[in-house]
Amino acid sequence: MLQVTGIPDACDNLAPIPMECDAPFLSIKGELPRELNGTLYRNGANPQFVSPNAHWFFGDGMLHAFHLENGRASYRNRWVRTPKWLAEHEAGRPLYGEFNLKLPDAPRSVPDDGNVANTNIVFHAGRLLALEEAHLPMQIERDTLETRCYCDYGGALKGPFTAHPKIDPVTGEMLFFGYNASGPLTRTMSFGAIDASGNVTRLEHFKAPFAAMVHDFIVTEHHVLFPILPLTGSIWRAMRGRPPYAWDPRKGSYVGVMKRSGSTRDVRWFRGEACFVFHVMNAWEDGTRIVADVMQSEEAPLFTHPDGRRTDPEKGRARLCRWSFDLAGNTNAFKRSYLDEISGEFPRIDERRAGLRSGHGWYACASPETPMLGMLTGLVHVDGNGHRRTRYLLPTGDTIGEPVFVPRAADANEAEGWLLAVVWRGCENRSDLAVFNATDIAAGPIALVQLGHRIPDGFHGNWVPAG
């Protein structure tokens, strides 16, 4: 069983599955909308071999693809063939340990590259890319899920590449960043852009206030924001056998604001009290203010303090929170205000409103009515002010992953479409793909695509229309 820091013992869907498979004709309960033609790609940790004390975040990436067409559904899964995966597959045993560093008994010929490509999968400029935040993207064959190679855009891209790039819905440009850009546990960061044709048009570097794990960032129509939060990286700790990444609230929180038309030399740093955010829902400009809705916790979950003590699970609960930055003001403090008390994660929007004022958002939530508060057992739909419109809770014992919005048509109104999410049926130990009417999730799924096996709890995914 994969050991995961800070995950409740009651969560049983973390262990990997041992196989790759194809299921060309899946059973469907209900009726799939005929307009749903495309593929939902999902990525998550599924270690080929489980190392002792392995962290959930560092398992080999496995891709899951649900292809929906004319009311029918099929499924395929494949591991991403990273250099790490290939080396371990050939050896028939684990060769990498904590933070995917080589084990002491690994042969010298084993590559140092510990990439697992396990966090997200995005489609941009004709390329399907499997992502994690410490390496270049891995290019994937869209239909077969076969791994091609690293994608460095003809040598124009170097260094780490975020698992959460942002695609501008107006220009088609993909913005990205990387942390540890000058080496492990350093405070150098990169920022860049890839145009709609797949050309790297920008790559700059700058220094953050301190070395930190930076999972996501914020993009609006005219600005980019870099959250530097005190899940700190320390080479000093790592060399002494202490946690390389640890929660150190003494550092406080910084958010760097940069004009998209400007340079990383012009980043303006805003300050705030210590907090942590894995994921951003959306952000937009409101006059001279920037508003960002994020899933914020008071301490970083799943990690420890510098001395090895676990962070407080209660303070690690993420809740929807609104950040506000006054660009015209004379203070560099940013404001934050919680919008709901319910715990949740994996926020999503109608991506056609990314970086623009949006009127709808969704996220997976925990149920306050059950003792398993850390498990994601439902969905929440919020309006543009972050107010809860409605909620859906699964039967007891089931859990749900990230919801992905799919518009009914390219020109449909915002939120007119469906929400797709993978559900684990705890009592049956298998998974469904649940399809909801995006504006009426309380009514429950309108269709369930049923698998005969389970998909382990994963991270992120995206819908790619047919064509």
Side-chain angles (χ1 to χ4, degrees), residues 71-92:
R72 296 184 177 181
S74 62
Y75 167 86
R76 170 174 287 152
N77 71 328
R78 294 290 187 273
W79 269 292
V80 184
R81 263 62 172 176
T82 63
K84 171 188 179 295
W85 189 94
L86 291 169
E88 291 186 326
H89 190 72
E90 183 177 351

Side-chain angles (χ1 to χ4, degrees), residues 204-223:
E204 303 178 35
H205 293 81
F206 65 100
K207 298 286 188 182
F210 52 85
M213 181 177 287
V214 187
H215 186 66
D216 202 351
F217 75 140
I218 300 168
V219 173
T220 67
E221 186 176 7
H222 299 107
H223 293 85

Side-chain angles (χ1 to χ4, degrees), residues 2 12 16 24 46 48 91 210 217 221 229 239 262 269 288 304 310 339 354 360:
L2 190 64
D12 300 319
N46 191 82
Q48 182 179 199
F210 52 85
F217 75 140
E221 186 176 7
L229 310 175
M239 292 178 65
W269 291 101
T288 59
T304 67
R310 290 190 175 188
L339 303 176
H360 300 264

Side-chain angles (χ1 to χ4, degrees), residues 151-172:
C151 181
D152 66 359
Y153 295 88
L157 186 62
K158 296 178 174 64
F161 188 98
T162 177
H164 286 287
K166 309 296 184 187
I167 299 176
D168 188 306
V170 177
T171 67

